[in-house]
Amino acid sequence: MKHLLTCMSLFAAILSKSVATDGLRLNAMKSNQDEPILLEWSAEPSNDYLVLHSDDLIIWKNSISGKVYGPDQEERIHWSDTNLNLGSNDPERLKRRFFRVARSPSDIEASETAYTFVSASGEAVDAFRGSFRVPENRTDPNSRELELFYVRFPSTSQTPGSPIVHLAGGPGNSSVEDLRREELFEPFMELREFGDVIAFDQRGTGWSNDLPSFQGTPLPLAQPLTLEAIETQLAEDAENAKAFWEQSGVDISGYNPLEIARDLDDLRRALGAEKLSLWAGSHGSHFALAAIREMPGKIDRVALHGIVGTEQMKLPDWYESYLDRLQAAIDTQPAAAAAFPDFRDLMRRTHAKFDAEPMELCFDSSGETICFVVGKLDLQLWALATNFNPEDAANLMTFYRLAESGNLAPFAPFIYEALRKNGLPFRGMREGIYSMSGISDTRRSQIIEQSDSSTIDGQLNFPFDIYIDVFDLPDLGNAFRAKVITDVPTISFSGTLDARTHPEAADEALTGFSNLRRVTVRNGGHFDYFSDPTIRQVTMDFFRGQEVPAEVTLPLPSFPE
């Protein structure tokens, strides 16, 4: 790779020649995440653009937005396609990237008012409700503004550390509402020992959500679900949803992990904090990874659970490994092992049966008889939609035993409500996140290759893998999906019986973390990281800077016999 500059002193000298960029330094502009790219840059006369030059077009193919920092203010630079003197096909333009300078004051003004936070169990605690404003799309100088909200729980310490920000998953869940739940409320109140605790509703969620929803079209009930029918309908619904949001003044491309990371940086400044600590789970960990890379030197400590990497799409083989671990757990209970000697084989047999002969299910609802036909895909999607923790797996075992025997009537109302009653809802935030985080060509090929031998035919990412194609939003690129390299102190929890976010995803996502405490939670599921007292103690020890164990074991539920 050709570098126009090879040392920081020469780089600084070139910067000092430009009045517009005097005293600033390029902080993040990488094509290979292991190797920072130093590029010559200068200010264009009579406009507010910086120009970065390179003969190496691979840099530009893989580049993502960067940042420059000044001594008294923080400035952000983003690639822009507008107001350029060179034509789009001019060879010289291909060697440049033009960045609009969006200046931000060092302090974001936040508005806070006293607020009484009441948990789901009725416990009240004094807090502050705050908000600050950000652009919906920072690459658009004419972007509308969003008001983002948070709840701040003041630290109980006389010498508090960095604020601890909770990032909810989903994507689309509200952190404020999540923290009302008892299993989250209690441990996060304990974390006030280390600093202010912040329940931050990300853009498009909870109090920070002003996005109108769009309801998709349900598929006919007289036929079982098929992937072809879903993709056709989803493509039509996506076009209608995009038009609906555009008419509503919404820029759906502003809902992506990089913008959320920049929101976090603005939240940091709004709080007057030098650094933030993060507690993030499920897809919240996807946002945390983006923030770690986008906020160098601004992240103190990180706690992750149920990790979703920057390469967000899951591999079918990970689900097969989960089924292996589930069977090993079943085998520890003799009666359950006798009833389910090979649960994967039961699933495959039942799928084949419903594929050959779809079944009509009927049930009464308020005096009306509702009938619909279920097939193999209905069963596979039900298995994915309802299985998160070991207790869910126990219910799923009963489900497949009844399905094989042809007795799914007890589940009919629930399957109808979850899969068949309505079309897919479009909320805006999650569609933007999945579409713009995207998928690499390598990962797409792996999923296709592994789907043939998959128990669920590779539907592990449904319907989000389809979003990438049907919404056709700008892809953040392979530079975003590359591994994150950091020495930020981090603890990660991975449950061996988590059916949604698998330990293999954490193995892949955290390879660049040099200061990592990895905790395997034996028999842990997707939501077992809050209520268990042992895990809570491990988390507190991590924030105290103490050693933590490499493994924690949780009790198994009783599997059906």
Side-chain angles (χ1 to χ4, degrees):
M1 179 177 292
K2 180 179 179 181
H3 297 279
L4 296 178
L5 299 173
T6 58
C7 67
M8 287 302 294
S9 60
L10 180 58
F11 182 62
I14 290 176
L15 290 182
S16 66
K17 295 177 182 178
S18 169
V19 174
T21 60
D22 188 28
L24 304 180
R25 64 182 176 85
L26 184 65
N27 185 71
M29 183 54 154
K30 301 178 180 181
S31 57
N32 181 335
Q33 291 301 315
D34 295 317
E35 183 180 9
I37 308 299
L38 302 182
L39 301 167
E40 179 181 5
W41 64 340
S42 61
E44 288 287 282
S46 303
N47 62 33
D48 57 351
Y49 286 87
L50 299 176
V51 184
L52 278 68
H53 307 258
S54 176
D55 291 327
D56 189 344
L57 301 185
I58 295 297
I59 292 175
W60 304 133
K61 179 180 178 182
N62 294 332
S63 68
I64 57 176
S65 61
K67 294 182 181 179
V68 289
Y69 292 95
D72 299 316
Q73 66 181 2
E74 190 167 286
E75 298 180 294
R76 303 185 176 209
I77 56 175
H78 299 282
W79 177 48
S80 175
D81 266 335
T82 59
N83 297 338
L84 303 183
N85 296 324
L86 298 175
S88 60
N89 295 320
D90 190 306
E92 285 303 310
R93 177 178 169 183
L94 295 178
K95 298 178 182 180
R96 308 184 186 188
R97 277 298 179 267
F98 292 71
F99 290 82
R100 177 181 294 278
V101 178
R103 298 178 184 269
S104 301
S106 58
D107 294 317
I108 298 289
E109 193 168 325
S111 172
E112 282 194 357
T113 57
Y115 178 71
T116 300
F117 185 91
V118 181
S119 72
S121 63
E123 187 172 352
V125 62
D126 291 336
F128 293 91
R129 185 179 192 260
S131 68
F132 58 99
R133 302 191 72 84
V134 300
E136 185 172 50
N137 188 337
R138 290 175 173 87
T139 66
D140 179 3
N142 300 313
S143 172
R144 75 183 183 115
E145 282 196 332
L146 306 177
E147 187 171 14
L148 305 185
F149 290 86
Y150 61 89
V151 174
R152 180 172 65 87
F153 301 92
S155 176
T156 57
S157 171
Q158 295 298 314
T159 56
S162 301
I164 302 169
V165 180
H166 174 251
L167 295 176
N173 293 348
S174 163
S175 174
V176 173
E177 292 308 311
D178 274 359
L179 261 61
R180 294 193 194 279
R181 292 164 28 208
E182 185 174 356
E183 64 269 26
L184 274 74
F185 176 77
E186 292 183 2
F188 274 94
M189 292 305 98
E190 292 176 1
L191 286 173
R192 291 181 298 168
E193 173 185 331
F194 308 106
D196 290 0
V197 168
I198 313 296
F200 177 46
D201 272 351
Q202 305 152 33
R203 56 174 59 206
T205 73
W207 290 344
S208 303
N209 182 20
D210 67 353
L211 296 172
S213 296
F214 179 84
Q215 182 61 51
T217 305
L219 292 170
L221 299 179
Q223 293 87 35
L225 291 179
T226 66
L227 197 58
E228 294 76 17
I230 291 173
E231 288 180 335
T232 299
Q233 187 60 60
L234 191 57
E236 180 182 329
D237 288 342
E239 285 300 316
N240 292 332
K242 285 199 298 184
F244 170 71
W245 285 321
E246 185 175 346
Q247 292 167 6
S248 302
V250 171
D251 183 355
I252 197 65
S253 66
Y255 297 82
N256 66 72
L258 293 183
E259 290 289 2
I260 289 174
R262 292 160 191 155
D263 292 342
L264 279 170
D265 210 1
D266 285 345
L267 172 63
R268 176 188 62 79
R269 293 202 297 275
L271 296 170
E274 180 181 350
K275 295 184 177 183
L276 297 178
S277 290
L278 304 177
W279 176 287
S282 195
H283 229 88
S285 63
H286 186 71
F287 308 139
L289 293 175
I292 290 170
R293 186 153 54 198
E294 281 288 296
M295 297 169 60
K298 305 296 176 63
I299 303 297
D300 191 1
R301 303 179 79 81
V302 177
L304 303 173
H305 65 89
I307 289 89
V308 176
T310 51
E311 181 72 270
Q312 62 183 341
M313 293 301 172
K314 305 160 192 172
L315 290 174
D317 281 358
W318 295 350
Y319 189 79
E320 299 307 309
S321 295
Y322 157 74
L323 290 177
D324 289 338
R325 293 190 292 270
L326 176 60
Q327 188 63 53
I330 294 170
D331 291 344
T332 64
Q333 300 178 12
F340 298 91
D342 190 338
F343 180 54
R344 177 193 281 109
D345 185 59
L346 172 60
M347 293 178 70
R348 291 181 182 273
R349 292 197 313 267
T350 308
H351 294 163
K353 175 180 178 178
F354 275 72
D355 192 30
E357 297 181 20
M359 178 182 296
E360 184 180 57
L361 297 179
C362 296
F363 67 98
D364 290 331
S365 175
S366 301
E368 177 187 6
T369 299
I370 297 175
C371 296
F372 61 103
V373 177
V374 300
K376 176 178 70 171
L377 184 57
D378 293 87
L379 302 190
Q380 292 172 331
L381 297 184
W382 175 263
L384 292 172
T386 60
N387 188 17
F388 293 84
N389 301 311
E391 295 81 0
D392 302 324
N395 293 330
L396 193 65
M397 293 160 64
T398 299
F399 173 84
Y400 271 96
R401 180 160 60 186
L402 291 175
E404 187 187 39
S405 67
N407 182 25
L408 271 184
F411 286 90
F414 307 107
I415 299 174
Y416 172 76
E417 188 72 28
L419 300 179
R420 306 306 300 275
K421 181 179 180 179
N422 301 307
L424 287 173
F426 296 89
R427 310 294 189 200
M429 190 267 199
R430 69 175 184 178
E431 288 80 11
I433 294 296
Y434 275 107
S435 300
M436 295 186 68
S437 292
I439 184 172
S440 67
D441 291 340
T442 299
R443 179 52 55 91
R444 191 186 289 269
S445 297
Q446 289 175 312
I447 291 174
I448 292 172
E449 180 181 346
Q450 294 177 16
S451 293
D452 289 341
S453 58
S454 169
T455 302
I456 51 175
D457 294 342
Q459 306 303 337
L460 195 57
N461 300 295
F462 178 90
F464 310 119
D465 50 348
I466 305 175
Y467 286 174
I468 296 171
D469 297 323
V470 301
F471 278 96
D472 193 29
L473 295 175
D475 189 295
L476 295 180
N478 289 335
F480 168 78
R481 289 184 288 270
K483 67 180 179 180
V484 176
I485 299 174
T486 183
D487 61 359
V488 171
T490 302
I491 189 171
S492 73
F493 296 95
S494 294
T496 59
L497 295 183
D498 183 344
R500 299 297 296 169
T501 52
H502 311 96
E504 293 85 352
D507 294 340
E508 178 183 80
L510 304 178
T511 56
F513 283 62
S514 60
N515 195 356
L516 175 67
R517 283 82 158 173
R518 183 80 184 274
V519 181
T520 297
V521 183
R522 298 288 172 192
N523 306 326
H526 194 63
F527 298 116
D528 287 328
Y529 306 103
F530 307 106
S531 57
D532 182 78
T534 303
I535 295 177
R536 285 168 63 173
Q537 185 60 52
V538 169
T539 303
M540 298 291 284
D541 289 344
F542 166 74
F543 276 95
R544 293 189 183 105
Q546 299 175 358
E547 291 299 314
V548 299
E551 187 172 305
V552 173
T553 299
L554 303 183
L556 280 172
S558 296
F559 292 120
E561 302 175 0

